[in-house]
């Protein structure tokens, strides 16, 4: 039986460690581990269980199907509260209520649909009101809160709804000193005060994402909602690396070389010959491409260096760059004239930024983000489903990162 020639190895011990670290940074708040988008590409259920083992008591997902998948996998209400927040008309709120999932409402239609589902099922809906405090995305505008709040409180008086939470999301938390962060807090506090005066008896107020969890303790309130930091990526890469923040990247993306061949100087490489060899050298073919989520923007050539790849044995590991255009199913590496790599050897696209014996550090998701002019968590979430996720559970990665 053939196997796929690449794999995303996810160390669940790193996720546990990261959640513990985040909890220590927000000691007065509960932790909601955000596991949307297949846990940022890391695998929904294994990552959720690891986060709970690390101390999270809530799990957050965008889609209803993700919440139901967690419950179907055996993550019960006694294990974690689950919140889902991105809905369109027609979503099966009844199924969510029967699974004891908290739901967010962000518009008047959602209140009506949740109340109808509660009446149909006989289950009291646990609802979080999403307020747009300045992001300009999903949520009820702060000045329009009274378009939904009275209906929620009326439904609560009837016993069909329990308004358990009020929440919002920050636009520039990754720039902690940006004036919008304080401005959104002021709006959030004003809405909280208004809701509580109107009779809301909230269990949780939540605003902080990964960046705010790590940099703004005044925004922790009752619950923090870290996402990318759970998986060991820095939400403020311009300020601090994962290691600086006590985080350990959980995922390593690796692949096996398909071929290694010798070519002459002047050989054009890949589509459009964006890259041309400058000497006699060896080219290595990595069987991953944009169909697997490798960014085409990480192509290498005259416009700039391509995405970094670690090659060679541990005692002689070195970083080379993608040569030429990223293709649908493969990329090319210029391995150099003295390479000893052969077909079948494993190369690493990203993982922990551990130091190399020859100098420098191993490539990370952030390095790929820099090469593709994007963010680290787009790199992990875009990995295609045909790449198997291999879940391991060791303390080796955490120990190596702490000792680096």
């Amino acid at each position: 039986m053939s196997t796929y020639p690449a794999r995303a190895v996810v160390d669940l011990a790193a996720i546990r460690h990261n959640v513990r670290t985040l909890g220590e940074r927000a000691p007065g708040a509960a932790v909601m581990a955000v596991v949307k988008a297949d846990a940022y590409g890391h695998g929904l259920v294994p990552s959720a269980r690891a986060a709970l083992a690390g101390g999270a008591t809530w799990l957050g997902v965008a889609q209803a199907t993700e919440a139901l998948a967690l419950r179907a996998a055996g993550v019960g209400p006694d294990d974690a509260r689950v919140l889902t927040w991105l809905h369109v008309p027609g979503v099966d709120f009844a199924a969510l209520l029967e699974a004891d999932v908290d739901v967010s409402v962000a518009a008047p239609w959602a209140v009506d649909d949740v109340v109808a589902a509660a009446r149909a099922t006989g289950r009291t809906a646990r609802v979080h009101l999403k307020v747009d405090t300045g992001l300009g995305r999903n949520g009820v505008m702060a000045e329009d809160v009274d378009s939904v709040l009275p209906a929620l409180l009326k439904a609560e008086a009837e016993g069909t709804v329990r308004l358990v939470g009020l929440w919002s999301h920050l636009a520039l938390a990754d720039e902690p000193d940006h004036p919008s962060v304080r401005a959104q807090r002021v709006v959030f506090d004003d809405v909280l005060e208004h809701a509580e005066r109107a009779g809301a008896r909230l269990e949780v107020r939540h605003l902080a994402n990964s960046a705010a969890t790590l940099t703004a303790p005044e925004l922790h309130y009752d619950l923090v909602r870290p996402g990318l930091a759970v998986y060991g990526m820095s939400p403020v890469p311009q300020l601090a690396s994962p290691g600086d923040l006590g985080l350990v990247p959980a995922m390593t993306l690796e692949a096996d070389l398909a071929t290694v061949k010798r070519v002459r100087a002047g050989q054009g490489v890949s589509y459009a010959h964006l890259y041309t060899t400058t000497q006699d050298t060896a080219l290595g073919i990595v069987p991953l491409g944009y169909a697997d989520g490798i960014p085409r923007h990480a192509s290498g050539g005259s416009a700039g260096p391509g995405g970094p790849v670690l090659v060679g044995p541990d005692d002689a590991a070195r970083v080379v760059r993608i040569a030429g255009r990223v293709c649908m199913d493969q990329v090319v590496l210029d391995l150099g004239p003295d390479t000893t790599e052969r077909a079948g050897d494993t190369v690493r696209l990203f993982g922990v930024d551990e130091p190399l014996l020859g100098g420098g550090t191993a490539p990370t998701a952030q390095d790929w983000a820099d090469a593709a002019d994007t963010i680290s968590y787009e790199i992990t979430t875009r990995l295609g489903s045909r790449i198997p996720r291999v879940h391991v559970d060791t303390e080796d990665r955490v120990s190596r990162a702490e000792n680096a």
Side-chain angles (χ1 to χ4, degrees):
M1 178 178 174
S2 62
T3 58
Y4 202 69
R7 62 220 62 92
V9 181
V10 177
D11 195 330
L12 301 176
I15 293 176
R16 284 199 306 274
H17 165 85
N18 295 331
V19 172
R20 284 196 300 269
T21 298
L22 291 160
E24 291 166 359
R25 297 292 286 266
V31 176
M32 174 190 291
V34 178
V35 293
K36 64 180 181 177
D38 197 33
Y40 288 55
H42 291 68
L44 175 65
V45 174
S47 298
R49 292 193 182 283
L52 295 176
T57 54
W58 290 73
L59 298 171
V61 293
Q63 302 292 338
T65 52
E66 298 170 313
L68 294 174
L70 287 168
R71 290 295 193 234
V75 180
D78 291 338
D79 300 311
R81 295 302 325 162
V82 175
L83 172 66
T84 175
W85 55 73
L86 189 58
H87 312 300
V88 300
V91 66
D92 190 354
F93 281 120
L96 292 168
L97 302 189
E98 289 172 343
D100 201 359
V101 171
D102 288 28
V103 297
S104 177
V105 299
W109 71 261
V111 177
D112 295 340
D113 285 10
V114 168
V115 169
R119 289 171 177 162
T121 60
R123 302 291 295 266
T124 299
R126 289 175 51 90
V127 171
H128 298 235
L129 174 58
K130 174 70 178 293
V131 180
D132 186 342
T133 56
L135 177 58
R137 207 173 63 176
N138 199 36
V140 180
M141 297 303 293
E143 60 267 28
D144 296 328
V145 163
D146 281 339
S147 68
V148 295
L149 182 59
L152 285 170
L153 294 175
K154 179 182 177 182
E156 185 166 71
E158 296 171 355
T160 53
V161 161
R162 172 76 180 94
L163 180 56
V164 298
L166 192 146
W167 69 297
S168 189
H169 196 54
L170 296 163
L172 285 103
D174 55 340
E175 298 181 31
D177 296 327
H178 195 278
S180 70
V181 177
R182 182 181 182 280
Q184 283 193 252
R185 180 191 179 189
V186 169
V187 174
F188 188 63
D189 286 343
D190 287 346
V191 174
L192 279 172
E193 183 181 0
H194 174 72
E196 290 168 348
R197 281 202 314 267
R201 299 171 292 111
L202 302 170
E203 292 179 15
V204 288
R205 305 161 298 157
H206 46 113
L207 181 62
N209 56 6
S210 288
T213 299
L214 291 163
T215 67
E218 70 276 11
L219 302 181
H220 290 169
Y221 293 94
D222 308 301
L223 179 68
V224 294
R225 303 188 313 268
L228 72 148
V230 168
Y231 311 101
M233 292 172 278
S234 172
V236 286
Q238 78 282 14
L239 301 177
S241 70
D244 295 333
L245 298 169
L247 305 174
V248 178
M251 180 187 289
T252 296
L253 179 63
E254 59 186 32
D256 305 324
L257 290 173
T259 60
V260 176
K261 64 182 182 182
R262 298 283 171 176
V263 299
R264 298 288 188 184
Q267 173 65 54
V269 176
S270 194
Y271 290 125
H273 284 180
L274 300 181
Y275 180 90
T276 301
T277 59
T278 59
Q279 61 183 334
D280 292 357
T281 189
L283 300 179
I285 309 303
V286 180
L288 286 175
Y290 59 76
D292 302 288
I294 304 303
R296 197 165 180 266
H297 282 80
S299 298
S302 57
V309 180
L310 185 68
V311 303
D314 289 345
D315 60 353
R318 67 194 190 282
V319 176
V320 299
R321 296 275 177 167
I322 288 178
R325 182 162 287 165
V326 173
C327 305
M328 183 179 291
D329 307 293
Q330 56 192 289
V331 297
V332 184
L333 307 176
D334 185 342
L335 296 170
D338 301 320
T339 187
T340 59
E341 274 68 56
R342 298 181 298 175
D345 286 352
T346 298
V347 300
R348 183 200 302 177
L349 283 78
F350 60 79
V352 177
D353 60 341
E354 53 196 353
L356 305 177
L357 293 178
T361 58
T364 65
Q366 183 61 49
D367 293 324
W368 273 83
D370 293 342
D373 192 24
T374 185
I375 51 180
S376 60
Y377 41 117
E378 182 182 352
I379 298 300
T380 63
T381 57
R382 69 185 294 155
L383 292 184
S385 59
R386 70 181 183 177
I387 299 177
R389 272 58 169 179
V390 179
H391 293 96
V392 299
D393 196 337
T394 74
E395 294 293 337
D396 292 347
R397 176 182 292 254
V398 174
S399 298
R400 291 200 314 271
E402 290 178 338
N403 295 325

